[in-house]
Amino acid sequence: MEDRERWDVWMVQAQRFARRENYIDALGRIRLVVEQVDDAIALAEESQRDKLQRYRDRVHRRMLAIRKQFDAWNAKIAERRAKATAEADAEMKRPLPIGPDELI
């Protein structure tokens, strides 16, 4: 398998990870592509560098888009946690749903 084909497969995998809200694996896969493309740019001849740089820029834009999704998803989780923490005192004051005669 040629490098470009492998990178494209990894990019599709990253998109699928992101679609399932598995952002850590998605970003890791994209970072792997960026590292491989950077290595290829360093070893490439001048005529191939522009093409590889454009590909790297596209991968980087996709990484930023997934990172933005991850940050929004993570903010929602943080908001729910903060709300649960703020309401913890009131919840602790509520009686248990089991009555005293139901205890064994």
Side-chain angles (χ1 to χ4, degrees), residues 61-99:
R61 284 191 304 271
R62 184 149 324 148
M63 183 172 65
L64 291 176
I66 290 175
R67 182 63 198 213
K68 186 177 179 180
Q69 291 174 339
F70 171 61
D71 290 340
W73 176 79
N74 210 20
K76 287 179 189 175
I77 292 172
E79 184 179 316
R80 282 195 313 255
R81 285 182 182 156
K83 182 179 176 186
T85 300
E87 295 173 352
D89 190 42
E91 185 175 338
M92 293 300 291
K93 290 178 182 177
R94 279 189 252 146
L96 292 175
I98 301 173

Side-chain angles (χ1 to χ4, degrees), residues 21-40:
E21 295 182 342
N22 187 353
Y23 297 110
I24 301 298
D25 286 339
L27 290 170
R29 191 60 51 107
I30 289 180
R31 265 188 244 120
L32 181 63
V33 174
V34 169
E35 290 171 5
Q36 296 255 327
V37 173
D38 285 343
D39 291 344

Side-chain angles (χ1 to χ4, degrees), residues 4-6 9-11 16 24 35 38 44-45 51 67 72 77 89 102:
R4 177 69 186 262
E5 291 172 351
R6 184 172 357 111
V9 167
W10 289 346
M11 291 301 295
R16 289 182 179 163
I24 301 298
E35 290 171 5
D38 285 343
E45 296 176 8
K51 185 177 178 181
R67 182 63 198 213
I77 292 172
D89 190 42
E102 297 173 336

